[in-house]
Amino acid sequence: MGSLFRSEPMCLAQLFLQSGSAYECLSELNPNVSVFQRKFVNEVKKCEEMERILGYLVQEIKKADIPLPEGDVAPPAPLLKHTLEIQEQLQKLETELREVTKNKEKLRKNLLELTEYTCMLEVTQRFVRRTTEYESRLHANYEEFASVENEQLMDYNCMHRLGAKLGFISGLVHIAKVEAFEKMLWRVCKGLHILTYVELDESLEDPDTGETTKWFVFLVSYWGEKIGQKVKKICDCYHCHVYPYPNTLEERKAVVEGLNVRIQDLHTVLNKTEDYLRQVLCKASESIYTWVIQVKKMKAIYHVLNLCSFDVTNKCLIAEVWCPVADLQNLRHALEEGSRKSGATISSFMNTIPTTQPPPTLIRTNKFTSGFQNIVDAYGVGNYGEVNPALYTIITFPFLFAVMFGDFGHGLLMFIFALLTILYENHPRLKRSQDEIMKMLFEGRYVILLMGLFSIYTGLIYNDCFSKSLNIFGSGWNVSAMFEQKVWR
């Protein structure tokens, strides 16, 4: 408890880290610094690239509704010889996932297009029929609408004498563009066309955007190649999904049968692709928690290495650090352990050096005192060796809050809330919550606990519960002494 009253005794130490064992030594020291400078810029960039790959993997795993496992103990930073292996694994996994995902999207888009084509043929078959009389009149094979014979917009015999050829363009148009599409065809083609359209009963997914919407199936019959080119340009302008239209009934049946076979094959291949993709993501999810923490620690180590300076021989790194006197032995042991893990022939070492600079203030805290220390530090950090007022704040701050708050009911709610966060403080969701308000409440759970406890006490004294008067113990004031007769002697 001595460190709660005053800051830790500090000393200035000079570290001599061998180039081959510098990474492992700092890994043992468990750094948590984020400054970006000189020599290890490329290594930091590699770590950032691995973080990008991990972000992509996490996004794909969440998209597949695969749970992400979380461990209770954070893994240590990987050894330097294992970092390249982790990088290769992540790059290989990203390449494989992107390739499989790309193939899946291709298959899915192809399936949606074939489904649209099938629906279009089924719908157009209902309002298109063969007309034998017209076929013999034009001496050509084509199909026309049931309403063509009643249409008075053009003279078919005149068109036949001019040698105009009948053509068809069919496809799907978005429900919001039908009216504008029809008006544009009428203005551009000047009546040398017949447009028939009908709304699909079911909504289809757009192969380009992936949105589910309503579509209209249309069939345009036109006379002449120039009119056909204009119709095609209008279809492109309105982003219509145009599909080839069979000229005869036999061709239509053959196309529909072929489409059904291809759709069944695509369903089979797509299911197998999704199963394989899920297997890859499940396997990646088993190691994703370890990889994320290891890459963060690697990046932190290289950030600290960038702060070190090199000697003239460029064979060792030199760093000056402030270290608590009580941790000097741990520091020496970490340097020895890092040198041993790296297999260096010359061990890294440290020396304490005298200095006239004022040491920084270090006050050790635990999960109970950290909240109160943060309140004190918000007003200012004391100088080296000064008395730490946070120890007295543990009592004075909750009590003065309770004097102001003074409500038994609300204080009880605060106490229960803080008690629940303390009982479940090791839950991963509470530890890794990204909500700022929840993080603030969780870090100050012991402060809230004492605030609620003291508020219960003052609320009982004030006879106040949920802002309502509540007389539990009765009054100790009595006026009977005012009416007692005094005896004079």
Side-chain angles (χ1 to χ4, degrees), residues 194-257:
I194 298 177
L195 171 65
T196 303
Y197 56 86
V198 65
E199 183 179 356
L200 286 177
D201 297 333
E202 57 182 5
S203 300
L204 295 179
E205 188 175 344
D206 192 345
D208 298 326
T209 62
E211 297 179 357
T212 302
T213 184
K214 298 290 289 184
W215 296 90
F216 271 79
V217 173
F218 68 89
L219 183 63
V220 181
S221 61
Y222 58 89
W223 281 266
E225 292 295 333
K226 292 184 178 180
I227 299 297
Q229 293 177 2
K230 293 180 180 180
V231 173
K232 290 178 182 178
K233 290 181 180 179
I234 294 173
C235 291
D236 294 338
C237 180
Y238 284 90
H239 302 285
C240 300
H241 299 170
V242 179
Y243 298 98
Y245 185 76
N247 291 327
T248 63
L249 183 61
E250 291 77 12
E251 290 181 2
R252 187 187 302 114
K253 289 182 179 179
V255 171
V256 171
E257 291 177 359

Side-chain angles (χ1 to χ4, degrees), residues 64-79:
D65 293 331
I66 298 175
L68 287 170
E70 295 181 350
D72 297 332
V73 181
L79 298 178

